[in-house]
Amino acid sequence: MINFDFHKYVKSYVRKEDKVEYLERAREIKSRFVDGDLKYWNKLDTFVSSAELKKIINITDYVRSNCDVFLVIGIGGSYMGSKAVIEALSPMYNRKSPEIIFLGTDLCSENYYETLEYIKDKEVIVNVISKSGTTLEPSIAFSLVMDVMKEKYSEEKLKDRIIITTDPEKGDLRELANRKGYVTFTVPPLVGGRFSCLTPVGLLPIAVSGINIVNLISGAKLSYERIDRAIEYAVIRDIMYKKGKIIESFTVYNPKLYYFTEWLKQLFAETQGKAKKGILPISCVNTRDLHSLGQFLQEGHDIIFETVIGIDKDKKVVLDKYDMELNSLNNIALDKVGLAHSNGYTPSNIITIDEKNESTIGELIHFFILSAIVGALLIDVNPFDQPGVQEYKKLISEELE
Ligand code: PA5
């Protein structure tokens, strides 16, 4: 369950009168989600059909008992969501096999060299994920990995070791899968990469890591009812933005949420950052970053606000010295930092989950997806495209040709 405090440490920046101006706009946006053109965002079937969900669960057992390494190839939305959930919910040490390795997020030869060497004598299953099927980095990764896979396995055996997640009809990967008979999963046509964590794009790697995806989805469904909260949060962000707070720090107090903040950065940057508009997302993992970015948030240029994610209940570690649990101290820090920063010029929205589990992470994911879409609508940009991402791809392709 998520709790929201959009008041305590923002109240001197966002007054009730400010919100009143948004009433009409918020009502119109809500009606689009409730029974208008955006209705599909609040339906499970948009993200994964029950048939695909069953297929994911079935193949997960096979994957978990037939490889040492599950190699996930993808970039941007085709990787960030699953990486975020796996890091948030997996133990730090002694994770259960298979080992999950992500590749295709860079063009760094050292990274490829070491990974390809590492997998040479391991049993490997590959999941290549690309909605378009043409993105440069995963294409390069897939071709390099296939060279190794072909050395290791016959053409027939590869059919059990290559899983392709892509568009249902178009693209090079779909064509390859059809030709070779590889197992495939579908990226729903309406759901762009950064919104695809709860589609087969994210769900298969997450399930293979041992996380219960049914609970994750049930959590997301809870937030279907939360459209009002998502709109309220988007409105507060917009009010801050109009007051010159052009940077938002997603701040967490559990290092396992680091990749969750990376996912948030991608989600908000690609959804809102266009037409010379948008809030620049950054992130802090506290208390570590109180000793670096914290200085700027306290006393630097007054262009930042924070959205803080806290966790009420955590594993029990007792501090005899203060006769309290360490997590209570962590939450005191969260609260006092919120106070200190808002005494400076950095107001904080506080979001807390009662505990970190599949359900609350699923709920957070869908809440932020809705908020990012609403945020884009409030600044009149298209939430669903990312034209700027094409620009560098075009220049590299020209150079390659
Ligand atoms: O959110 C998005 O749409 C992007 O980040 C894409 O996920 C990213 O560019 C990768 O695209 P593709 O899945 O087509 O390889």
Side-chain angles (χ1 to χ4, degrees), residues 201-310:
V201 170
L203 291 176
L204 177 59
I206 293 170
V208 169
S209 79
I211 291 167
N212 185 325
I213 55 171
V214 173
N215 291 349
L216 192 74
I217 290 170
S218 308
K221 278 205 231 153
L222 292 176
S223 75
Y224 292 3
E225 308 302 320
R226 292 213 181 266
I227 185 70
D228 286 319
R229 282 310 211 169
I231 293 175
E232 186 186 0
Y233 171 55
V235 164
I236 289 169
R237 296 176 75 248
D238 202 61
I239 293 170
M240 304 260 199
Y241 174 58
K242 302 259 159 64
K243 291 186 176 169
K245 305 277 181 207
I246 55 166
I247 299 177
E248 175 174 24
S249 170
F250 290 106
T251 299
V252 293
Y253 282 76
N254 181 325
K256 284 193 181 175
L257 293 179
Y258 166 68
Y259 275 97
F260 197 78
T261 68
E262 288 295 302
W263 174 76
L264 286 169
K265 278 153 68 175
Q266 193 230 349
L267 175 69
F268 282 92
E270 282 197 338
T271 305
Q272 286 193 280
K274 43 199 94 160
K276 305 255 179 297
K277 300 182 199 173
I279 298 166
L280 173 70
I282 63 168
S283 66
C284 287
V285 179
N286 284 351
T287 58
R288 182 193 73 185
D289 291 340
L290 294 171
H291 301 257
S292 64
L293 290 181
Q295 169 61 34
F296 198 105
L297 268 67
Q298 187 67 46
E299 294 185 331
H301 199 354
D302 58 347
I303 50 174
I304 308 178
F305 68 97
E306 285 184 275
T307 293
V308 180
I309 304 173

Side-chain angles (χ1 to χ4, degrees), residues 73-80 129-139 165-166 173 187 191-196 201 266-267 270-271 384-386 389-390 392-393:
I73 297 176
I75 195 168
S78 292
Y79 125 92
M80 286 294 345
I129 308 171
S130 175
K131 184 171 185 188
S132 60
T134 55
T135 306
L136 177 72
E137 296 87 340
S139 305
T165 309
T166 190
L173 281 178
V187 189
V191 183
R194 60 191 167 280
F195 308 112
S196 68
V201 170
Q266 193 230 349
L267 175 69
E270 282 197 338
T271 305
F384 305 116
D385 66 0
Q386 56 287 326
V389 177
Q390 310 311 324
Y392 91 94
K393 294 184 189 171

Side-chain angles (χ1 to χ4, degrees), residues 24-232:
E24 197 44 46
R25 196 75 206 276
R27 210 172 288 137
E28 177 247 334
I29 290 175
K30 183 175 174 181
S31 68
R32 291 175 66 185
F33 280 101
V34 173
D35 58 9
D37 60 321
L38 299 173
K39 198 172 164 187
Y40 65 94
W41 283 102
N42 268 345
K43 281 191 175 153
L44 179 61
D45 262 9
T46 303
F47 299 94
V48 62
S49 66
S50 44
E52 287 253 299
L53 188 58
K54 263 191 213 135
K55 193 169 145 196
I56 293 172
I57 291 168
N58 287 341
I59 205 165
T60 295
D61 288 339
Y62 166 80
V63 171
R64 282 174 67 82
S65 39
N66 283 283
C67 67
D68 310 311
V69 169
F70 186 61
L71 191 63
V72 181
I73 297 176
I75 195 168
S78 292
Y79 125 92
M80 286 294 345
S82 57
K83 177 78 179 168
V85 175
I86 292 170
E87 293 305 319
L89 295 175
S90 302
M92 194 137 56
Y93 306 111
N94 297 326
R95 290 186 185 178
K96 284 187 213 129
S97 56
E99 184 177 3
I100 300 189
I101 296 180
F102 289 90
L103 202 65
T105 61
D106 58 67
L107 298 169
C108 166
S109 48
E110 184 175 4
N111 187 13
Y112 280 92
Y113 182 85
E114 291 186 12
T115 306
L116 297 175
E117 280 296 308
Y118 181 71
I119 63 168
K120 259 185 188 155
D121 46 17
K122 302 265 189 299
E123 293 298 337
V124 183
I125 294 183
V126 177
N127 180 200
V128 56
I129 308 171
S130 175
K131 184 171 185 188
S132 60
T134 55
T135 306
L136 177 72
E137 296 87 340
S139 305
I140 300 271
F142 189 44
S143 70
L144 289 168
V145 166
M146 279 308 273
D147 291 344
V148 177
M149 293 295 281
K150 282 178 186 159
E151 290 280 309
K152 289 165 65 70
Y153 304 107
S154 68
E155 186 77 2
E156 204 43 41
K157 286 223 167 97
L158 280 178
K159 286 189 191 157
D160 298 328
R161 297 204 163 261
I162 307 293
I163 302 169
I164 293 185
T165 309
T166 190
D167 184 274
E169 281 161 17
K170 345 183 260 296
D172 293 355
L173 281 178
R174 176 60 59 184
E175 192 271 323
L176 177 79
N178 291 346
R179 188 157 38 84
K180 298 279 186 183
Y182 295 148
V183 175
T184 61
F185 287 92
T186 297
V187 189
L190 286 173
V191 183
R194 60 191 167 280
F195 308 112
S196 68
C197 179
L198 301 173
T199 74
V201 170
L203 291 176
L204 177 59
I206 293 170
V208 169
S209 79
I211 291 167
N212 185 325
I213 55 171
V214 173
N215 291 349
L216 192 74
I217 290 170
S218 308
K221 278 205 231 153
L222 292 176
S223 75
Y224 292 3
E225 308 302 320
R226 292 213 181 266
I227 185 70
D228 286 319
R229 282 310 211 169
I231 293 175
E232 186 186 0

